[in-house]
Amino acid sequence: MFTCKNLSVTLASGRKLVENLTFSMSDHNHIGLIGEEGNGKSTLLKIFAGDQPDYVRITGFFYSDQKIGYLPQQFDEKWLDQEPLHYLLSEEPQKEIEISAWNRLSEIEKLAVQLKIDHDLIYRDQNISTLSGGEKVRLLFLKMMMNEPEIFLLDEPSNDLDLDALVWMENWIKNQSAPILFISHDIRLLNTCANKILHIELRNKKTKTLNTIYSGKYDEYLESRANLLNRQSRIASEEKREYLKKKQRLNDLHNKVEGRLKTVSRQAPHEGKMLKRSMRSVLNAQDALENQSYSKTDSVEEGIGFILPERSFPSNKKLLDLEHFCLSVNGKLLISEFGLRLIGPVHLVITGKNGCGKTTLLRQIKEILKDTPGITVGYLPQNYEEVFKAVSTPAEYLEQFTENSVLARKALGSMKFTENELEQKISKCSGGQKVKMILASMAMRNCNVLLLDEPTRNLSPLSARVLSEELSRWNGAIIAISHDREFIQEVFTLKAVIEDQIFQIHSMDEKPD
């Protein structure tokens, strides 16, 4: 059993992320934690895992009488220069593996089989920093399971997983009897696995917090919420109309009495006295009406305002022409020799198992295209820090691409950044906020080719929907890596599959040989 009561989380700036949150988890509760980017979901999970960040203060309490397993969204940097086996057998990177820890190898191998993790990953002779995103997730998951947890806190467990591993993760969550609280932006994962929803909202331009617990599926919650908002809006409109009618009647009466007072004769003191009494009654009624007023609905969070420039990629222009191309890393062959010729505004998605070379291939394509005349490349890397090394705040990042600082701030505002968030350290930004910064820079730079590595993995369903709609209608060229099934179906017309070191490309309505 996990219990949270009256928990409030406040940033050092004074802005509240969560206020008076109360809920509990017991066996078979699989709670999907949702909310927009930067609303504090990952921060909340860290707090529950006993790792309170230094940038927040908390009140209230939470308690668990069972062992908690925590899957972070990404590796702690201190482990990136270590090999997988050292990570699994050590508690600290700088310490040698204790002799007794080696006795756990057979246990780890059995656990890896249960979790569908290749033994090769455990004994891989390479630093964790060089693993693929999906391999890192698998390694984090394996380490968590080694501690035999009884309650699970999972931060984006499906991020970077290939499609086979994603299906396995769905089944694993569904078949667990233990309580699970998981953050996800994957609509299908939420619908398949969550039987409760915890929605953290920041309304009225992030000045009001709201926590909602709903028992049921994600889609059911969205429908229930939409009905509630519509009902509240209808009631507020009706109350406002009635309020304005009453106000108009009182104003008319006020003007009538005031006019009579101006014309009443001094020879009629009794009538003057009665009119003054009437005026006091009218003023009291007006004050009462103002105090009563009418219901006002909150302004809820909206999707990002992401619009790409109308700079199309010419239909007869060559985008990419690879001949006898193969891909190797450190002497290891990832993709055997293949050819790839792309012309015009193609929308191509690259898929394949974790570690097959997708990200490495996308980096190579970026290097090939970056100096090509007539092409402006926008690149979203898997590791966002690649593009943020020289800057410290969101405003500073976007101001690199324009001499108009107002335009840069306006672009970030359309991505739902508040004034305070424009000047916060990028290191304090959520993964979703970092994605939105990079997307905003692509629009500002007037890119006509986008190279995107898992673009939806940290975006909320609301923001991901806006991105999908914009990319699907856009007439520029897109080459992306994704395992987001909804996103793939909506945006792309061509699909490349990397399997057993073979690269094959086909249209979305046909399957590879």
Side-chain angles (χ1 to χ4, degrees):
M1 171 71 80
F2 178 93
T3 301
C4 171
K5 189 168 183 180
N6 296 327
L7 183 73
S8 294
V9 181
T10 308
L11 294 173
S13 64
R15 179 163 72 86
K16 287 188 179 296
L17 294 177
V18 178
E19 190 168 15
N20 295 326
L21 174 62
T22 297
F23 76 102
S24 61
M25 287 195 299
S26 55
D27 285 349
H28 302 287
N29 287 158
H30 298 165
I31 303 179
L33 174 56
I34 65 172
E36 291 305 294
E37 303 88 358
N39 277 12
K41 302 182 298 297
S42 293
T43 298
L44 187 61
L45 227 58
K46 287 178 183 177
I47 291 169
F48 289 156
D51 183 23
Q52 180 179 337
D54 58 7
Y55 53 83
V56 298
R57 64 177 184 273
I58 65 172
T59 59
F61 76 92
F62 56 92
Y63 168 76
S64 173
D65 58 2
Q66 295 172 290
K67 186 187 294 184
I68 291 177
Y70 170 54
L71 179 74
Q73 194 175 113
Q74 58 189 14
F75 260 97
D76 190 318
E77 289 186 359
K78 67 183 181 181
W79 287 105
L80 295 180
D81 292 333
Q82 302 298 322
E83 295 179 358
L85 192 58
H86 191 102
Y87 168 69
L88 294 171
L89 295 179
S90 302
E91 293 305 317
E92 291 295 333
Q94 66 272 19
K95 293 183 179 179
E96 292 292 327
I97 299 175
E98 296 182 4
I99 295 176
S100 59
W102 292 99
N103 297 328
R104 302 196 67 183
L105 273 181
S106 60
E107 169 199 342
I108 292 172
E109 290 181 353
K110 290 178 182 178
L111 190 57
V113 171
Q114 295 173 18
L115 301 177
K116 308 296 184 184
I117 296 174
D118 196 327
H119 286 181
D120 169 68
L121 177 60
I122 299 171
Y123 298 105
R124 193 81 60 82
D125 185 22
Q126 65 182 99
N127 290 344
I128 290 172
S129 61
T130 65
L131 298 177
S132 74
E135 288 172 331
K136 290 173 183 174
V137 173
R138 292 167 190 254
L139 203 56
L140 288 166
F141 199 82
L142 180 57
K143 181 69 174 276
M144 177 187 71
M145 294 299 292
M146 286 172 59
N147 294 321
E148 300 180 347
E150 300 164 294
I151 291 178
F152 296 92
L153 307 176
L154 312 177
D155 195 345
E156 295 284 4
S158 63
N159 265 8
D160 299 318
L161 293 182
D162 59 48
L163 293 176
D164 289 343
L166 184 52
V167 171
W168 178 88
M169 179 63 75
E170 288 178 353
N171 291 327
W172 181 86
I173 293 176
K174 283 193 298 184
N175 294 328
Q176 279 293 322
S177 60
I180 301 175
L181 176 62
F182 68 99
I183 298 171
S184 183
H185 295 133
D186 185 325
I187 295 174
R188 192 173 297 188
L189 186 73
L190 285 166
N191 273 320
T192 302
C193 299
N195 51 36
K196 284 189 174 183
I197 298 295
L198 170 55
H199 188 184
I200 296 176
E201 290 185 82
L202 293 175
R203 294 187 172 185
N204 300 341
K205 297 184 178 180
K206 300 192 177 183
T207 61
K208 177 183 177 181
T209 63
L210 182 67
N211 317 309
T212 305
I213 304 288
Y214 178 84
S215 294
K217 295 290 186 181
Y218 174 73
D219 277 348
E220 295 169 351
Y221 167 66
L222 292 185
E223 183 178 357
S224 173
R225 179 173 182 268
N227 290 337
L228 176 61
L229 291 172
N230 288 335
R231 187 165 62 252
Q232 289 174 340
S233 178
R234 187 174 62 254
I235 291 171
S237 295
E238 291 170 355
E239 290 183 359
K240 184 177 181 179
R241 281 197 300 271
E242 188 61 30
Y243 164 82
L244 292 175
K245 286 179 183 178
K246 289 179 179 179
K247 186 171 184 178
Q248 184 63 51
R249 285 198 298 268
L250 287 172
N251 284 342
D252 290 345
L253 186 56
H254 180 281
N255 293 336
K256 182 179 179 180
V257 174
E258 188 176 51
R260 291 278 303 277
L261 276 171
K262 289 179 179 178
T263 60
V264 69
S265 171
R266 292 186 178 180
Q267 281 71 38
H270 178 70
E271 184 181 358
K273 186 176 182 180
M274 292 296 292
L275 287 171
K276 288 179 181 178
R277 185 180 298 171
S278 295
M279 179 59 80
R280 284 196 296 271
S281 296
V282 171
L283 291 173
N284 288 336
Q286 287 179 319
D287 287 341
L289 183 62
E290 289 300 322
N291 290 332
Q292 176 187 347
S293 189
Y294 55 89
S295 299
K296 296 178 176 65
T297 56
D298 294 331
S299 62
V300 297
E301 294 167 313
E302 300 174 343
I304 56 178
F306 178 58
I307 300 176
L308 285 164
E310 296 295 339
R311 183 186 176 192
S312 60
F313 193 89
S315 59
N316 59 350
K317 182 177 176 62
K318 181 179 70 177
L319 173 64
L320 195 64
D321 193 2
L322 303 179
E323 293 183 354
H324 308 297
F325 189 85
C326 63
L327 193 65
S328 300
V329 174
N330 298 326
K332 178 184 177 181
L333 180 66
L334 295 176
I335 306 175
S336 56
E337 188 174 295
F338 70 97
L340 177 62
R341 183 177 175 82
L342 299 175
I343 297 175
V346 297
H347 286 191
L348 168 68
V349 62
I350 302 173
T351 67
K353 291 186 179 297
N354 297 136
C356 69
K358 300 184 297 295
T359 293
T360 304
L361 176 60
L362 197 67
R363 286 199 192 105
Q364 289 289 316
I365 292 173
K366 176 177 73 79
E367 292 302 310
I368 292 170
L369 295 180
K370 68 178 183 180
D371 296 321
T372 304
I375 289 180
T376 305
V377 176
Y379 176 55
L380 174 69
Q382 188 177 88
N383 177 16
Y384 309 138
E385 309 314 318
E386 290 180 28
V387 300
F388 295 130
K389 291 178 181 178
V391 292
S392 60
T393 69
E396 186 180 337
Y397 169 69
L398 219 59
E399 285 168 0
Q400 298 177 104
F401 309 110
T402 177
E403 296 179 356
N404 188 338
S405 62
V406 174
L407 184 62
R409 289 170 177 269
K410 185 177 179 180
L412 288 170
S414 70
M415 289 294 190
K416 307 308 174 187
F417 281 77
T418 66
E419 197 66 34
N420 287 336
E421 287 170 338
L422 295 180
E423 301 298 341
Q424 73 180 1
K425 296 293 184 183
I426 289 178
S427 59
K428 303 296 184 185
C429 291
S430 70
Q433 288 176 314
K434 292 173 182 177
V435 173
K436 292 193 292 188
M437 281 186 268
I438 298 171
L439 291 175
S441 74
M442 293 175 181
M444 186 165 286
R445 292 174 51 231
N446 201 26
C447 296
N448 61 351
V449 176
L450 303 184
L451 306 179
L452 311 173
D453 198 337
E454 296 283 4
T456 62
R457 63 182 175 136
N458 286 312
L459 291 178
S460 72
L462 194 59
S463 295
R465 168 56 49 196
V466 174
L467 178 64
S468 294
E469 291 174 353
E470 179 63 10
L471 292 182
S472 64
R473 66 133 207 112
W474 189 55
N475 202 33
I478 304 170
I479 301 176
I481 297 167
S482 182
H483 300 118
D484 183 330
R485 292 158 288 189
E486 308 288 340
F487 179 67
I488 290 173
Q489 192 65 39
E490 182 165 347
V491 175
F492 299 96
T493 55
L494 292 175
K495 182 177 182 178
V497 179
I498 302 172
E499 187 172 8
D500 297 329
Q501 300 178 340
I502 296 173
F503 181 97
Q504 285 185 300
I505 188 168
H506 56 95
S507 66
M508 288 294 292
D509 56 1
E510 67 179 77
K511 294 184 178 180
D513 297 333

